Amino acid sequence: MENDIQWIKTHCGRMDHGGCALITGVRDNVIVKIKGDPDGFLNRGYICAKGLASPGRLNHPDRLTHPLRRTGGRGEGKWERISWDEAIGSISENFQRIKEHYGARGVAFCQGMPKGIEHFVLIRLANIFGSPNVVSVQDVCHAPREVTGLHTCGFYPVADFHLKTRLALVWGSNVTRTNEEGEICSLLLDQIRSGTQLIVVDPRQTELAKKADLWLQLRPGTDAALALGFLNVVIEERLFDEGFVEAWTYGFEDLARHVKRYPPEKVAEITWVPPDLLREAARQYARSRPAAIQWGNAIEQHMSAFDTARSLVCIMAVCGNLDVPGGNIQANEPNILALGKFVRADLLPNKWKEMIHTFHHTIPKLMTVPPAFLRKAMLEGFPYPIKGAYVQCSNPVMAYADSRMTVDAIHQLDFLAVADLFMTPTASLADVVLPVATHFEFNDIGHYGLGHGYILARPKVVEPPEACWSDIRILHALGRAMTPKEYWFDDPDDLLEALLRPSGITYGQFAEKGYLKGGDTFKKYESRGFSTPTGKVELSLSTAEKFGLRALPECPQPPADDPDYPLILTSAKDPFYMHSSYRWVDSLRKKSPEPVVEIHPDTASKLNIHDGERVAIETRQGGITQVARLTDGVHPNVVNAAYGWWFPEDDITAQDTWTRSNYNILTSAQEVGREFGTPNLKGIPCRVRVAGRNRKLVS
Ligand SMILES: Nc1nc2c(c(=O)[nH]1)N[C@H]1C(S)=C(S)[C@@H](COP(=O)(O)OP(=O)(O)OC[C@H]3O[C@@H](n4cnc5c(=O)[nH]c(N)nc54)[C@H](O)[C@@H]3O)O[C@H]1N2
Ligand SMILES: Nc1nc2c(c(=O)[nH]1)N[C@H]1C(S)=C(S)[C@@H](COP(=O)(O)OP(=O)(O)OC[C@H]3O[C@@H](n4cnc5c(=O)[nH]c(N)nc54)[C@H](O)[C@@H]3O)O[C@H]1N2
Ligand code: SF4
Ligand SMILES: [Mo]
């Protein structure tokens, strides 16, 4: 019966960065229908398979519905139910105790991919508690792009697909599948349909690579060299925007001299991209103005992330594409509470002196601790011990490079609390597990702090299970228990009102409107310059000496061929899951039932591997098994493995569930890029072999 359904508008969240406006049909506190909202600002009616499946997260029989306290050894799976008062009391007592012994900095506050405003409430709690150590996965997700942007041109340049662009250069971003940063790909597809040229840089033949005018199938992990090759062609062939370069850049002559060392022929040896193809791509990009670079995770899941990002900002700049409509823009935020005020940055103004990563000499302006350095502190006490951790919206055992290191580090902790909606490999190691209310079940705001110039309303559409609390509510309760109450609100929703207050509207009005957007103004530098020390785009960094950074983008020597590990391993995100999340949602699991590794048929034939067969994938770090899929969409020397796999249907106490097929068993966090603590997640020497005939991973 349609007529007893109540229709409520909200926005999608937590299945990726979120962004699609949704219309949900609710009956008896259950979402029974869901569709894309044709009026949606970003999606105009679009909804993907994950969005359609998202209500399935709420009613799973194994969802956590009570706070739990560990009664056996860590990871033994023995729990007792406790009340919320006991849970908050226990976390607060343990963190206070650690604070007394080791200082507030001995407690780390860990966040996964930011899902809504809970990330910023967590930073607020850490600041008020006095710990400078907010940990996030930004080392491999956005910090390299954002912070390098800040140092090079004073802002984070995002692709503008809202206004007409003549050419899109999609670099290491699988945006039709990941809708990276909630920039729903339909905007880009509309542009392509209306004649925008497309160049794709990706080792796999993605959907966009198939549509592209040019596809540069590079060797994984060599983006830094390819980007320098682009600069070489643009500068040597004088295809750059002379007026902009003259007026608004610093260090052009140095850069021009420097990139002479990277002619396309030399770059081809490193990247496998034919010299003439690279020339053609660079020419097309430079001659099509405006052009936008859509840059994805691939550039920052490698130790050379800083150099690659530096080169890409330099390319945008010298070709006159910075902050122009349809280029890479500095988005204007709507008039809402500034992040610094929201998180009460004023309470810990010198936190940068104390943050763990400062002792590893990372780049200035990196405000969250890279996981590699967090675990060093947990395991080795350098630069000082971390003894307590609060983990929300994250599954570090699966998401951090080197999963075994994460588990070992957790075993060194005095106290770990994890807030999640399911018993994950990380939660299974905790002292206290908190059951959360999640998306659809509380009022939230999407895209705050993402730098795209808008925020989206995510009003609640159903009530959560009785004992499930939203992260915002949990953090308020913790704040009240272990920090001065004056910093917290009586009703956690008042925080949303405070965030919106400068705009003059209430949360109710915001929910009606759906989104708030900053104004469309461009070329702000003409009136105020670029926010860098020289007021210009720093092609050569004026602060290089002061901060110990490389002034000009470099490229590392490619690793020497390793005869024992002759193939190159990389990965892309599964279109049906969010990292390690939601393999327990039945409708999604049917679409992607098992971890699949893509291998070229010629390589498979040499190794006697058949389609559908279980194969072992091994690196110098470790080995896992996945199911082979033969495809010529990958280069014969490249293997593309699935990431994020554990098996929620297994006994969570069995170590095998997080070791069997987990990509991060193959990665290492021993060697990392100094600027961001970034490990190599892509471009790793590996080998594959048959692991056993006709045996599927999932029984
Ligand atoms: N379905 C789904 N969507 C998601 C997510 C998810 O887990 N699942 N996660 C969300 C999050 S947190 C993020 S940050 C975004 C990330 O979204 P993306 O940036 O799209 O991330 P990836 O899928 O890791 O990688 C993008 C592309 O890089 C290619 N690639 C692999 N190695 C290399 C290389 O060495 N060089 C180059 N140039 N390309 C390479 C892959 O083939 C892939 O097509 O997606 C968000 N959306
Ligand atoms: N090898 C490799 N490693 C990677 C990547 C890669 O491409 N390759 N990608 C990296 C990137 S881009 C990112 S962003 C990180 C992601 O790192 P994480 O964010 O840690 O990834 P997830 O595995 O999605 O873990 C999220 C957890 O939050 C839970 N959750 C969902 N909703 C809520 C909620 O409302 N509240 C709470 N408290 N919990 C909730 C989910 O059940 C899940 O267990 O991983 C990084 N790691
Ligand atoms: S593309 Fe992202 S925001 Fe849109 S419905 Fe799918 S998961 Fe949700
Ligand atoms: Mo991410």
Side-chain angles (χ1 to χ4, degrees), residues 17-32:
H17 293 115
C20 291
L22 303 176
I23 306 179
T24 57
V26 178
R27 185 197 289 139
D28 297 335
N29 199 42
V30 176
I31 301 173
V32 291

Side-chain angles (χ1 to χ4, degrees), residues 422-460:
F422 211 86
M423 184 58 79
T424 64
T426 305
S428 76
L429 299 173
D431 295 270
V432 170
V433 176
L434 303 174
V436 295
T438 191
H439 180 240
F440 295 126
E441 296 177 332
F442 67 99
N443 290 331
D444 197 6
I445 293 177
H447 281 221
Y448 185 53
L450 281 195
H452 281 261
Y454 47 85
I455 55 168
L456 304 168
R458 293 188 190 151
K460 153 159 118 175

Side-chain angles (χ1 to χ4, degrees), residues 606-626:
K606 278 188 210 143
L607 297 168
N608 199 19
I609 292 170
H610 301 99
D611 200 65
E613 198 162 40
R614 198 158 70 107
V615 295
I617 311 164
E618 291 159 337
T619 64
R620 290 228 170 256
Q621 184 70 16
I624 59 171
T625 57
Q626 300 197 347

